[in-house]
Amino acid sequence: MKVASDAEKLRAEGADVVDFGAGEPDFPTPDNIKQAAVRAIEQNFTKYTPAGGTAELKRAVCERHTQDFGTAYKPEECIITVGGKHGVFGLVQALVNPGDEVVIPVPYWVTYKDVVNYAGGKCVFVDTDEDKGFVFTASMIEQRLTEQTKLMIINSPSNPSGAVLDRAEFEKILRLASDRGIYLMTDECYCHFLYDSDPFSIASAPNSKQTVVVAGSLSKTYAMTGWRIGFVLAPSSIIGAMNKLQSHSTSNPTSIAQKAAVEALRGPQESVAAMLAEYRKRRDFVVQRLRAIPGVKCAEPRGAFYAYPNIGVALGKSGIQDTLQFAELLLAESKVAVVPGEAFGTNQHVRISYATSMHELERGLERLDQFIRKYS
Ligand SMILES: Cc1ncc(COP(=O)(O)O)c(C=O)c1O
C-alpha cells in the first residue's frame, strides 16, 4: 500500500511512472456486462436485495460452476459477497475461532494472514520450493497439521507466484483435510487463467462437499474489479453464518453490479479466452526478459498474471537491506512500481503484475534491468 501511494504521489507530480503494482486486468469490462448494468438502472433495479445476494445471481453462479467444473451446488449453498476479498473475510470469520490454526503456503496473498489474525486464529505457514516453481505437496502440508488445525487455504493459481497445484496433488490434500475434519478453502480467483493446464475445481471431487469451501470472484475473470462481486460456495450452515455477518455489516452487494454479474456469468465467455491469450504473450516476454538480467531468477508462472522474480542479487549491497527498500528506491530512482515480497511472506522477491501493455512491460523491465545492474 505504501508503494502504491508513493507511486500515486509521484504520478500526481507529473513523473513518468511505470506501474507493475496493480493486481487488476488492464482490459475494460466487456460491453455486454456494462449494458446489463445500464439496463438495471433504467429498470430501477436500484433497491435493497436480500443481504446474501439475489436468487437469480446465486443460480447463475451455481450454474456456471457446474458448467465449468462439473460441481453441483444449490443456491442455498451460495452467498454473493462484496468482492472475493469479502468472501474470504466472511468465510474465515465464520470458520475460525480463537486458537484455531490455519495452514497457508508461502508465498501467500496478503489478506489471508490478516483475516486469520482478525478472527483470533494462528497462521501456520508452509514453505515452498522456489526451484520447483513454488509448488507444494500434500506431505509438506501434512507435516504442519496439528489437533488445532481448522482450515487450509489454497490459492491456485497463486497470487503472487503464479504456481499451479496439479489435480492429483490437490486431491491428496483434500484427502488429508477430509480424513481429519479440516476445512479446505480453495481461492479460485484466478482459476480461469491457466497457461498449460485446463481449469478444474477441487470442489468437483467426489464427496468433497463437507470439506471444501470455494471462494470465488468475478473481478479478474471478467475484468470487473471495481464492481465488487464475489461469491462463496459451501455447506448451507456455513453460508447461513456468513449471511448473518453480512446482513449486519455490508448488507447486499450493489444491486446494479449483481445484474451485471448475471450477464457476465450467463453471457458470452469469449472475453476470458482473449484475455488469457494476451496474458500468455506477456508472461512469456516478462519471464525471458527478467531472466536476462544478471543474477535474477524467475520461476515460470503457470497461471494468474504475476511474475515473482528473485532479486536477491541486489540486496545487502549498496545499502538496500530488504525488498521494501528495494521497491522504494526503484520507485524513487527509476519510477517503476513493484510490490515487495515481504508482503507475501518471502524476503528476496518482488511481485510484478503483467496486467499491463507490452509497451509498459518493455519500458519498465528495461528500467528494472538498469537498476539491478547498478545495485548488484
Ligand atoms: C488470491 C486472491 N483472492 C481473492 C482476491 C479478491 O479479489 P476481489 O476482492 O477484487 O474480488 C484477490 C485480489 O487481488 C486475490 O489476489
Side-chain angles (χ1 to χ4, degrees):
M1 295 309 286
K2 177 164 188 334
V3 173
S5 80
D6 287 353
E8 196 45 53
K9 215 157 67 198
L10 278 175
R11 242 193 313 262
E13 289 163 6
D16 169 25
V17 176
V18 177
D19 192 354
F20 293 154
E24 61 179 345
D26 55 319
F27 303 102
T29 305
D31 206 50
N32 60 311
I33 300 173
K34 293 196 273 196
Q35 290 312 315
V38 171
R39 280 196 303 280
I41 295 172
E42 285 169 353
Q43 292 166 7
N44 297 312
F45 194 75
T46 52
K47 306 287 173 65
Y48 292 133
T49 76
T54 63
E56 181 190 34
L57 180 51
K58 289 183 190 179
R59 273 198 305 276
V61 165
C62 296
E63 283 164 16
R64 170 110 329 264
H65 216 262
T66 303
Q67 221 167 316
D68 289 345
F69 306 119
T71 52
Y73 284 100
K74 298 192 275 296
E76 59 269 30
E77 296 166 316
C78 176
I79 184 169
I80 309 301
T81 55
V82 186
K85 184 179 283 188
H86 182 216
V88 170
F89 179 84
L91 253 180
V92 170
Q93 303 317 310
L95 292 178
V96 175
N97 290 317
D100 286 346
E101 293 181 3
V102 180
V103 171
I104 303 173
V106 179
Y108 46 77
W109 181 45
V110 224
T111 291
Y112 301 141
K113 189 172 105 187
D114 289 325
V115 297
V116 169
N117 289 340
Y118 187 78
K122 182 176 164 227
C123 296
V124 175
F125 297 114
V126 177
D127 283 329
T128 57
D129 187 348
E130 178 174 11
D131 292 330
K132 295 192 178 130
F134 295 105
V135 289
F136 47 90
T137 61
S139 69
M140 289 158 86
I141 296 226
E142 189 171 14
Q143 289 164 27
R144 309 293 281 141
L145 302 180
T146 72
E147 288 292 302
Q148 277 68 50
T149 311
K150 184 66 164 284
L151 174 69
M152 309 173 184
I153 301 182
I154 308 265
N155 171 221
S156 172
S158 151
N159 173 10
S161 71
V164 172
L165 197 57
D166 70 40
R167 185 190 280 261
E169 206 58 45
F170 221 144
E171 284 175 356
K172 280 193 210 160
I173 292 170
L174 169 61
R175 267 197 303 280
L176 274 184
S178 61
D179 287 352
R180 291 169 166 78
I182 297 168
Y183 288 108
L184 170 59
M185 183 202 294
T186 171
D187 181 341
E188 299 186 345
C189 185
Y190 300 94
C191 65
H192 290 283
F193 298 130
L194 286 169
Y195 300 114
D196 31 45
S197 51
D198 290 329
F200 75 95
S201 172
I202 194 63
S204 66
N207 307 318
S208 60
K209 260 202 180 169
Q210 288 311 308
T211 304
V212 173
V213 293
V214 177
S217 169
L218 276 69
S219 289
K220 322 283 167 150
T221 313
Y222 301 105
M224 291 179 73
T225 46
W227 300 73
R228 311 308 303 137
I229 296 290
F231 59 87
V232 166
L233 299 168
S236 57
S237 56
I238 297 173
I239 296 296
M242 288 183 67
N243 205 70
K244 283 186 199 162
L245 185 59
Q246 187 157 311
S247 73
H248 296 294
S249 50
T250 57
S251 276
N252 62 275
T254 304
S255 58
I256 301 152
Q258 289 191 68
K259 280 287 185 193
V262 170
E263 172 61 24
L265 295 162
R266 290 197 170 143
Q269 301 293 303
E270 285 78 14
S271 60
V272 184
M275 282 191 270
L276 177 62
E278 192 53 42
Y279 290 145
R280 184 195 306 277
K281 274 192 253 163
R282 297 174 188 177
R283 189 267 317 242
D284 292 346
F285 170 72
V286 167
V287 170
Q288 66 80 20
R289 185 66 187 83
L290 284 167
R291 287 178 178 169
I293 304 173
V296 170
K297 278 202 293 188
C298 184
E300 177 148 89
R302 294 180 55 219
F305 43 67
Y306 307 105
Y308 202 54
N310 186 319
I311 49 81
V313 67
L315 301 181
K317 300 165 200 142
S318 317
I320 305 182
Q321 292 308 322
D322 55 27
T323 65
L324 179 58
Q325 251 185 19
F326 178 95
E328 284 173 349
L329 199 61
L330 177 68
L331 182 61
E333 272 193 18
S334 306
K335 310 287 183 287
V336 176
V338 298
V339 184
E342 263 104 34
F344 308 103
T346 72
N347 54 20
Q348 296 208 325
H349 305 84
V350 292
R351 190 192 75 176
I352 290 178
S353 165
Y354 48 87
T356 187
S357 69
M358 273 300 223
H359 178 65
E360 287 298 280
L361 290 170
E362 280 164 11
R363 272 171 12 106
L365 292 175
E366 178 56 32
R367 291 183 193 181
L368 179 68
D369 186 326
Q370 298 302 325
F371 181 85
I372 291 178
R373 282 175 200 267
K374 177 174 167 194
Y375 284 99
S376 55

